[in-house]
Amino acid sequence: QVQLVESGGGLVQAGGSLRLSCAASGRTFSGVSMGWFRQAPVKAREFVAAIVWSEGSTYYADSVKGRFTISRDNAKNTVYLQMNSLKPEDTAVYYCAARYGSQWRRAKDEYPYWGQGTQVTVSS
C-alpha cells in the first residue's frame, strides 16, 4: 500500500509558475514508480509526467515537455511537479499516483494508488 497526500495547487496567471508536492508513505520506494496526471471537467484523466523512484529517470507528455519538471526527494519521500510557463489549457485537477514496478507507465489504469487531487487554475 502507498498513501499519497498532495498540496500546492492554486490560481495563477498565464505565464506564471506553480510547484505541486506529493508526500508518500508506505513500503520501501525502491520498487515504486510515481506519476502526475491531470483531469479537466470535460476530459478524461491524462498522463503528465512520471519518475522511477530508484533511478530518478523522468518522462513527460509532449504537451508539458520543456515546461514541467518532475523530481523526487528521497529523504522526504516526496515527489514534486514544477510547472513553469503555465497556459490556460493547463487548468485541471492534478493527481499524484503510484505503482509498484521499476518501469514507467503512462496509462492511468497502471496506477492503483492515487492522491486526492489538487486544483490548478490558470487565468488568461
Side-chain angles (χ1 to χ4, degrees):
Q1 290 282 337
V2 178
Q3 294 175 313
L4 308 172
V5 180
E6 300 170 329
S7 62
L11 175 65
V12 66
Q13 293 287 127
S17 298
L18 206 60
R19 188 177 77 163
L20 306 183
S21 300
C22 177
S25 62
R27 61 174 290 176
T28 302
F29 292 150
S30 60
V32 173
S33 298
M34 300 184 69
W36 285 97
F37 292 76
R38 66 186 183 186
Q39 186 170 19
V42 297
K43 294 183 178 180
R45 195 168 299 185
E46 65 177 353
F47 171 78
V48 175
I51 185 167
V52 178
W53 194 268
S54 61
E55 302 174 351
S57 304
T58 59
Y59 309 89
Y60 299 93
D62 289 341
S63 59
V64 306
K65 195 171 186 178
R67 299 188 298 122
F68 291 9
T69 302
I70 187 171
S71 62
R72 54 140 167 82
D73 187 325
N74 287 339
K76 297 180 180 179
N77 290 329
T78 299
V79 64
Y80 303 96
L81 185 67
Q82 178 67 46
M83 305 184 293
N84 298 326
S85 301
L86 283 163
K87 306 174 181 179
E89 52 262 44
D90 294 319
T91 296
V93 177
Y94 283 72
Y95 297 90
C96 180
R99 63 182 298 274
Y100 289 111
S102 59
Q103 187 68 40
W104 74 283
R105 297 287 188 269
R106 69 180 73 193
K108 64 182 186 296
D109 291 345
E110 297 279 359
Y111 293 81
Y113 307 107
W114 294 84
Q116 80 284 359
T118 184
Q119 177 70 47
V120 173
T121 302
V122 184
S123 61
S124 59

